[in-house]
Amino acid sequence: MHFQWYPGHMTKAKRQMQEDIKLIDLVIELVDARVPFSSRNPDIDELGRQKARLVLMNKADLADEEQNKAWAAYFKEKGFFVVKLDARTKAGMKTISGVIMDACKEKIERDRRRGIKNRPVRAMVVGIPNVGKSTFINTYAGKACAKTGNKPGVTKGKQWIRLNKNVELLDTPGILWPKFEDQRVGLYLALVGSIKDELLNIDELSLELIKILQAYYPGALARRYEAVEEQTPAEILQEIARNRNCVKKGGELDYSKASALIIDEFRSGRLGKITLEFPEEQS
Ligand code: G4P
């Protein structure tokens, strides 16, 4: 499978981010907990050098808890602060505020030594498309918070959201582009729904998903679809089509319908809490 992004967009987004990063103390990077490696672009490590770093493992509600822990340890080892998250809920937001203060301890201390008191920490949210940036900003900022800056006729600067007395957030997230050097990256992002389905061959995708489930989540296909797992992925797909009554008008099995069903049930968590890539593979 091949995926193509537009270099023009990428260059523009990167330049914007280089500018924005100068204004902040902390980079809040969202990754998809089901594919924490493929949903990152390591360019942010270079862009965010010198800044405090917080990784939010978002959509952790859909990922395998054991792997969430392993990935959190992986990121911590790399020097990032880490929080697992379901950005749709308020739970966890208090933890994040605490971790932000921890991550920016040095900056706060430096300010204090210079006699600067109560200057809020400034942060920006970054991540690849569909990872949950807007959801996070909405949940975290809530309705109550006032936007600061960019008052009509006063400044033409950036919009900041005042989260509490200690933290301000740039209101537009930075968009990172996935790095497609490894073909698995495209596959994983397609499976979690971060690449438009129209661009994909859905049958190919479901066969790959079946292969991963057979290898790492034995029992998942049997539980959900009564499928015999000791078969080839194509045979399993056929069995699922049969068991779920995916048939075309003439009575012929509809593999695309069965494929779409499996992928949809994976994405929505109905197949279980599943992580597609593992930290030990990354070293
Ligand atoms: P973005 O700004 O980074 O592009 O992402 P956005 O917030 O728009 O979120 C993309 C989708 O992911 C949304 O679903 C959102 O509800 C969902 N989402 C965000 N955070 C979480 C999370 O922690 N857990 C779960 N389970 N879902 C989350 P959507 O509006 O239905 O879009 P789509 O899924 O149809 O693309």
Side-chain angles (χ1 to χ4, degrees):
M1 271 179 251
H2 283 275
F3 302 95
Q4 201 58 56
W5 293 94
Y6 306 104
H9 288 176
M10 274 158 61
T11 316
K12 191 159 169 257
K14 194 165 172 180
R15 210 174 299 134
Q16 182 67 52
M17 206 173 310
Q18 274 164 339
E19 287 308 308
D20 290 345
I21 269 180
K22 289 182 195 154
L23 309 171
I24 57 150
D25 309 299
L26 170 77
V27 176
I28 301 176
E29 180 190 358
L30 267 75
V31 301
D32 186 317
R34 296 164 297 173
V35 285
F37 182 76
S38 294
S39 59
R40 288 198 79 211
N41 183 334
D43 286 354
I44 191 65
D45 293 340
E46 180 58 29
L47 285 168
R49 206 177 65 226
Q50 326 263 13
K51 304 289 172 183
R53 301 289 302 277
L54 168 58
V55 170
L56 297 182
M57 291 175 49
N58 196 36
K59 309 198 185 185
D61 55 297
L62 297 170
D64 175 349
E65 185 49 28
E66 198 183 316
Q67 295 306 325
N68 285 344
K69 286 190 188 127
W71 275 108
Y74 169 90
F75 286 121
K76 273 185 193 149
E77 232 255 316
K78 293 208 170 300
F80 302 122
F81 286 79
V82 189
V83 177
K84 293 175 283 182
L85 191 67
D86 172 352
R88 298 165 311 165
T89 71
K90 280 260 175 214
M93 299 300 158
K94 232 190 191 141
T95 310
I96 292 174
S97 294
V99 176
I100 289 177
M101 298 319 279
D102 254 5
C104 295
K105 224 190 225 143
E106 276 178 31
K107 180 244 178 229
I108 295 165
E109 200 41 55
R110 211 163 46 233
D111 278 357
R112 198 180 338 233
R113 279 201 302 272
R114 291 177 184 157
I116 305 164
K117 270 192 221 143
N118 304 327
R119 186 163 74 184
V121 164
R122 289 191 148 181
M124 79 180 284
V125 171
V126 306
I128 66 165
N130 209 41
V131 76
K133 298 179 294 300
S134 322
T135 307
F136 169 67
I137 293 174
N138 285 338
T139 308
Y140 192 32
K143 288 193 198 92
C145 67
K147 290 193 175 176
T148 62
N150 220 17
K151 296 184 184 79
V154 184
T155 39
K156 225 180 129 217
K158 294 275 164 192
Q159 288 268 11
W160 295 91
I161 306 170
R162 187 78 184 248
L163 293 169
N164 52 46
K165 69 181 192 334
N166 299 319
V167 186
E168 281 185 357
L169 196 65
L170 198 58
D171 81 337
T172 40
I175 298 172
L176 294 168
W177 265 260
K179 250 199 154 73
F180 288 118
E181 275 155 22
D182 178 344
Q183 279 299 301
R184 303 292 291 175
V185 171
L187 167 69
Y188 291 146
L189 292 180
L191 283 172
V192 298
S194 282
I195 295 171
K196 283 201 186 76
D197 281 346
E198 303 90 82
L199 302 175
L200 308 163
N201 178 332
I202 193 123
D203 297 344
E204 202 180 325
L205 212 54
S206 74
L207 292 174
E208 290 291 340
L209 177 60
I210 291 172
K211 237 186 267 177
I212 297 170
L213 294 172
Q214 281 179 299
Y216 298 104
Y217 292 93
L221 291 162
R223 275 192 301 276
R224 183 87 196 156
Y225 306 112
E226 289 100 46
V228 176
E229 295 192 353
E230 294 75 29
Q231 305 183 80
T232 65
E235 286 165 343
I236 293 180
L237 181 63
Q238 190 174 32
E239 199 179 7
I240 294 171
R242 222 180 291 121
N243 293 351
R244 286 301 183 94
N245 210 17
C246 301
V247 283
K248 293 183 188 165
K249 269 205 182 111
E252 194 188 329
L253 288 175
D254 188 341
Y255 294 114
S256 295
K257 195 170 170 195
S259 294
L261 178 109
I262 303 168
I263 292 167
D264 184 55
E265 298 201 341
F266 160 69
R267 287 180 185 162
S268 64
R270 274 170 288 170
L271 258 172
K273 292 181 188 292
I274 289 162
T275 299
L276 297 179
E277 56 187 359
F278 310 100
E280 58 272 17
E281 290 169 354
Q282 311 309 326
S283 44

